Amino acid sequence: MPTMRLVIARCSVDYAGRLTAHLPSAPRLILVKADGSVSIHADDRAYKPLNWMSPPCTLKEGTGDDSGTWTVINKAGEKLIITMEEVLHDSSHELGVDPGLIKDGVEAHLQELLADRIDTLGEGYTLIRREYPTAIGPVDILCRDGDGATVAIEIKRRGEIDGVEQLTRYLELLNRDPHLAPVRGIFAAQEIKPQARVLATDRGIGCTVLDYDALRGIEDDKLRLF
């Protein structure tokens, strides 16, 4: 059974790829997940890692004089080099098969209705797939707009900042796929909080207010786009 490994260590991190980045020495949490992904976390950024490498990638732990060096390499040849100074904790755990997120009934129905009537977003919209799988979880809806560009849609009953953050992570990952990129995002909800709208706009993500009754055909069948 694949395991998840949790390491707390004082370390520095260097990334070498399309750009370079350096994290100076500090205590950090390193997660090595069963899917092969590696992510480095601080204690002040909620769930978003400071740096990460998505699967497929390989992790090589140094030996001898390099015993404190981890090198993570992805299929594009990009490297994440973690230099350990002091390991404070190192454990592995079998989490088993996760049952997945059980969505709110209305939220799940909104997804189903919008997928069935995807053209209400605009002329020429076509559905690619509901629950499009990624390494960090499924995207609610993946579709193409009238110009053939890929669009990722995150659906919530109540749209708040955490939903925008979730869609941002999906977009970062999807835009690494040359078969899909460029991918833009739409944050769709029955109600969108002002702070969430501001954050989405700042990140180039569109916002759509969904009318549940209209999607069900009870009222006017137009979506209110903002």
Side-chain angles (χ1 to χ4, degrees):
M1 176 73 69
T3 61
M4 173 183 281
R5 185 177 178 186
L6 293 83
V7 177
I8 299 175
R10 178 174 291 277
C11 63
S12 61
V13 183
D14 291 277
Y15 170 81
R18 289 167 293 179
L19 48 82
T20 59
H22 175 71
L23 293 173
S25 176
R28 298 190 174 92
L29 169 64
I30 304 167
L31 295 180
V32 183
K33 292 188 176 180
D35 64 2
S37 63
V38 178
S39 57
I40 297 98
H41 298 259
D43 196 27
D44 63 348
R45 292 164 59 91
Y47 44 77
K48 187 172 183 179
L50 296 165
N51 213 327
W52 69 95
M53 195 71 82
S54 300
C57 58
T58 58
L59 167 60
K60 180 181 179 181
E61 297 185 46
T63 58
D65 293 340
D66 295 326
S67 60
T69 302
W70 289 15
T71 304
V72 187
I73 306 175
N74 67 11
K75 63 180 181 180
E78 298 168 317
K79 293 183 179 181
L80 195 63
I81 302 171
I82 307 169
T83 303
M84 305 287 191
E85 298 172 15
E86 181 183 9
V87 176
L88 305 173
H89 175 86
D90 188 346
S91 63
S92 297
H93 307 270
E94 294 181 0
L95 301 186
V97 179
D98 191 274
L101 178 67
I102 299 175
K103 300 197 172 191
D104 175 272
V106 173
E107 197 172 286
H109 198 203
L110 280 170
Q111 182 194 119
E112 181 182 351
L113 289 168
L114 186 57
D116 188 54
R117 305 181 65 186
I118 197 68
D119 59 340
T120 57
L121 285 172
E123 185 177 352
Y125 271 74
T126 56
L127 178 69
I128 296 176
R129 179 173 171 173
R130 289 174 54 196
E131 299 287 331
Y132 186 87
T134 76
I136 58 174
V139 178
D140 285 338
I141 291 178
L142 197 69
C143 62
R144 296 196 186 280
D145 63 19
D147 296 322
T150 311
V151 182
I153 304 173
E154 180 63 27
I155 298 173
K156 300 292 184 187
R157 186 170 60 86
R158 182 180 293 108
E160 300 183 357
I161 284 177
D162 60 347
V164 178
E165 292 283 7
Q166 183 180 357
L167 179 54
T168 300
R169 296 196 301 276
Y170 287 142
L171 291 171
E172 288 177 353
L173 192 60
L174 291 169
N175 273 298
R176 297 179 188 180
D177 186 338
H179 299 293
L180 297 176
V183 185
R184 65 182 178 90
I186 293 179
F187 187 51
Q190 288 181 282
E191 173 192 1
I192 299 178
K193 297 293 185 180
Q195 299 92 331
R197 187 183 296 278
V198 170
L199 181 62
T201 300
D202 182 67
R203 294 182 177 180
I205 294 172
C207 291
T208 298
V209 174
L210 299 175
D211 187 322
Y212 184 59
D213 288 335
L215 282 174
R216 293 164 63 201
I218 294 177
E219 296 178 356
D220 185 88
D221 65 354
K222 293 181 180 178
L223 289 174
R224 294 191 296 276
L225 300 178
F226 297 89

